[in-house]
């Protein structure tokens, strides 16, 4: 139906978005919207009436609330968006709604639905492996850290106010409901601790609710699981906010910092090195990833098809190469330059008598590890050429020959060559 005059639409979208918004049945209470206007997507729990609707080939979430709350949340989400904080995209505030009898209807906040995302009840009701559950919890902890670093006090931390997204092997959590939030230049320790306490209590309660309905495995401990969020948050906050400045000859400390994040279960999506008066400082962007993510990303960037741990280490070197040498390049261009200027020269430098020891990707992986250990022991950034010379003299000759299993040309049977025992690790 066409809404009555007096409809007040505030939006930052295009004219097409506005025209499409006007076509929705605003003179009908949201709970009574016809199926023809709605999208069949799973909804989380909410104190408000929330529905998903089709809008010009996209899907939006429509929430009934008060006009003051809708306008405040709309502006807050727009500010968070500009800060590049993971949250839903605000589309519009629609006020001035009246039904056919002239009775006022609640104002609505319209946000764009986050594709491929699920509310927690849809995620946790599946029979998740424990390591997957841990990654989801880490994603929520990471979201809270990102919000706090941006100066956002949530005020209602819960699974219900979060969407989880699994995209290209990465797990991410997104803020959905900012109604109780506040944005400050920075947060005090007390504000952060209050959000953490809310997370602990709310998440435990939500998991207990799932267990009572038989929607989650019985061996999941709600209290212990909610505590995992707090523990992950504290470790990540300390690692991201601790002072990290270094002199030009101490780039090995960057690797040390990333290793500590890896040991906490977090990967690094990207990092930047910024020059300061006293040297340089490191800015990290962590994320939570699924097994196989690095292998797929490296294959897409370079065409190298290697194992997961090898890919993780090579990607880290590509990121460092880009940050130090070509920060202006996109990752695909930088990866191609790294392939030509770093990887291929290393592969070509392997003497013929050692070429059967390891595949080139493993050689590169071990070389980078060797350089890091040399740098750490010597408290300086050892150049790659120097590390390569050391590696070829002291490490590679003692590795077992991985080309020792060959296919017999006539019998097509595997033949294992006998090697001296000292050639094995």
């Amino acid at each position: 139906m066409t809404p009555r005059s007096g409809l007040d639409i505030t939006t930052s979208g295009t004219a097409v978005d506005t025209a499409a918004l006007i076509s929705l049945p605003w003179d009908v209470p949201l709970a009574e919207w016809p199926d023809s206007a709605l999208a069949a997507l799973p909804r989380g729990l909410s104190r408000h009436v929330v529905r998903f609707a089709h809008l010009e080939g996209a899907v939006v979430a429509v929430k009934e609330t008060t006009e003051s709350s809708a306008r405040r949340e709309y502006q807050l989400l727009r500010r968070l968006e500009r800060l590049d904080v993971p949250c839903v995209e605000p589309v519009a505030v629609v006020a001035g709604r009246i039904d056919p009898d002239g009775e006022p209807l609640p104002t609505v906040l319209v946000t764009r639905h986050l594709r491929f995302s699920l509310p927690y009840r849809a995620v946790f009701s599946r029979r998740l492996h424990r390591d997957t559950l841990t990654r989801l919890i880490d994603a929520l902890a990471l979201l809270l850290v990102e919000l706090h670093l941006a100066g956002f006090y949530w005020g209602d931390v819960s699974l219900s106010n979060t969407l989880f997204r699994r995209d290209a092997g990465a797990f991410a959590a997104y803020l959905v409901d900012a109604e109780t939030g506040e944005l400050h230049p920075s947060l005090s320790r007390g504000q952060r601790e209050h959000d953490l306490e809310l997370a602990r209590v709310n998440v435990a309660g939500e998991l207990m609710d799932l267990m009572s309905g038989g929607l989650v495995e019985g061996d999941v401990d709600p209290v212990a699981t909610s505590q995992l969020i707090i523990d992950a948050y504290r470790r990540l906050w300390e690692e991201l906010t601790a002072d990290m400045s270094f002199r030009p000859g101490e780039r090995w400390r960057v690797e040390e910092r990333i290793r500590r994040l890896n040991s906490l279960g977090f990967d690094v999506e990207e990092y930047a090195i910024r020059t300061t008066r006293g040297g340089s400082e490191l800015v990290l962007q962590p994320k939570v990833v699924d097994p196989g993510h690095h292998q797929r990303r490296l294959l897409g960037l370079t065409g190298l098809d290697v194992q997961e741990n090898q890919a993780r280490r090579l990607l880290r070197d590509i990121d460092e190469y880009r940050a130090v040498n070509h920060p202006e390049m996109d990752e695909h261009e930088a990866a191609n330059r790294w392939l030509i200027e770093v990887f291929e020269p290393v592969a070509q430098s392997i003497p013929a008598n050692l070429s059967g020891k390891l595949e080139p990707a493993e050689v590169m992986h071990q070389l980078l590890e060797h350089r890091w250990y040399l740098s750490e022991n010597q408290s300086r950034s050892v150049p790659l050429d120097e590390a390569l010379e050391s590696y070829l003299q002291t490490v590679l000759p003692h590795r077992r020959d991985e080309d020792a299993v060959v296919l017999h040309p006539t019998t097509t049977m595997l033949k294992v060559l006998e090697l001296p025992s000292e050639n094995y690790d």
Side-chain angles (χ1 to χ4, degrees), residues 35-51:
D35 291 341
S36 59
L38 300 178
L41 293 173
R43 297 196 304 267
L45 297 178
S46 174
R47 66 175 70 92
H48 304 284
V49 177
V50 179
R51 295 291 184 270

Side-chain angles (χ1 to χ4, degrees), residues 123-399:
V123 174
F124 281 82
S125 63
R126 300 179 180 183
R127 297 188 68 83
L128 298 175
H129 295 296
R130 186 163 295 278
D131 61 340
T132 302
L133 174 59
T134 300
R135 285 195 294 277
L136 290 172
I137 292 300
D138 284 345
L140 181 55
L142 175 55
L143 171 62
L144 193 53
V145 168
E146 290 177 304
L147 291 171
H148 285 177
L149 286 173
F152 182 78
Y153 166 73
W154 197 339
D156 192 14
V157 187
S158 68
L159 296 171
S160 299
N161 293 334
T162 309
L163 282 176
F164 291 95
R165 189 180 190 184
R166 183 172 179 169
D167 184 20
F171 286 90
Y174 291 76
L175 172 73
V176 176
D177 194 326
E179 187 174 340
T180 59
E182 300 172 3
L183 195 56
H184 302 273
S186 63
L187 296 185
S188 67
R189 180 181 180 85
Q191 288 171 312
R192 294 193 299 107
E193 288 297 323
H194 189 254
D195 258 356
L196 286 176
E197 179 62 15
L198 288 172
R200 186 185 66 80
V201 174
N202 289 343
V203 171
E206 287 167 324
L207 292 180
M208 288 177 185
D209 180 58
L210 289 178
M211 293 190 70
S212 65
L215 298 177
V216 71
E217 293 181 347
D219 62 347
V220 173
D221 185 333
V223 176
T225 300
S226 67
Q227 184 61 41
L228 290 177
I229 298 175
I230 312 304
D231 295 341
Y233 172 95
R234 295 194 190 284
R235 293 193 301 266
L236 187 56
W237 179 268
E238 175 63 25
E239 201 56 58
L240 290 178
T241 58
D243 179 50
M244 181 57 186
S245 58
F246 54 94
R247 293 186 294 274
E250 298 179 324
R251 282 209 309 272
W252 59 273
R253 293 180 59 200
V254 175
E255 173 70 13
E256 183 180 56
R257 189 65 166 269
I258 294 175
R259 283 171 178 266
R260 290 203 301 270
L261 273 173
N262 292 159
S263 71
L264 296 178
F266 295 92
D267 215 313
V268 174
E269 183 171 31
E270 63 179 35
Y271 69 85
I273 298 175
R274 299 175 181 171
T275 303
T276 63
R277 286 187 176 181
S280 301
E281 65 178 8
L282 178 68
V283 180
L284 295 172
Q285 166 113 26
K287 67 176 177 179
V288 184
V289 298
D290 200 22
H293 167 78
H294 304 92
Q295 188 178 27
R296 292 188 293 271
R297 182 182 169 219
L298 184 68
L299 181 63
L301 288 174
T302 66
L304 296 175
D305 189 3
V306 304
Q307 299 304 308
E308 178 70 0
N309 286 335
Q310 294 172 342
R312 179 200 292 264
R313 188 61 190 86
L314 299 189
L315 284 169
R316 233 165 36 224
D317 196 58
I318 291 173
D319 287 340
E320 180 181 358
Y321 171 84
R322 176 188 176 194
V324 173
N325 300 290
H326 303 288
E328 76 287 353
M329 290 185 178
D330 66 29
E331 64 175 5
H332 287 85
E333 187 180 2
N336 183 64
R337 185 70 66 88
W338 173 88
L339 196 65
I340 295 171
E341 296 183 356
V342 179
F343 181 83
E344 290 179 356
V346 167
Q348 293 166 4
S349 69
I350 303 173
N353 64 314
L354 299 178
S355 61
K357 292 289 184 179
L358 299 169
E359 60 181 342
E362 178 64 17
V363 168
M364 190 73 203
H365 167 77
Q366 290 191 5
L367 169 61
L368 293 173
E369 293 293 289
H370 184 65
R371 181 178 65 168
W372 182 76
Y373 285 119
L374 290 176
S375 299
E376 184 186 41
N377 290 336
Q378 299 176 26
S379 296
R380 68 182 180 96
S381 290
V382 174
L384 187 64
D385 290 345
E386 182 181 335
L388 178 60
E389 181 179 356
S390 171
Y391 175 79
L392 293 177
Q393 292 178 359
T394 65
V395 179
L396 187 58
H398 304 291
R399 297 293 181 185

Side-chain angles (χ1 to χ4, degrees), residues 27-41:
D27 58 346
V28 178
L30 189 53
E32 300 173 14
W33 275 22
D35 291 341
S36 59
L38 300 178
L41 293 173

Side-chain angles (χ1 to χ4, degrees), residues 18-71:
T18 304
L21 278 169
I22 292 176
S23 69
L24 293 174
W26 298 117
D27 58 346
V28 178
L30 189 53
E32 300 173 14
W33 275 22
D35 291 341
S36 59
L38 300 178
L41 293 173
R43 297 196 304 267
L45 297 178
S46 174
R47 66 175 70 92
H48 304 284
V49 177
V50 179
R51 295 291 184 270
F52 291 108
H54 295 286
L55 181 70
E56 285 289 301
V59 175
V60 293
V62 184
K63 178 176 74 172
E64 285 187 336
T65 182
T66 65
E67 182 173 353
S68 60
S69 292
R71 294 192 183 282

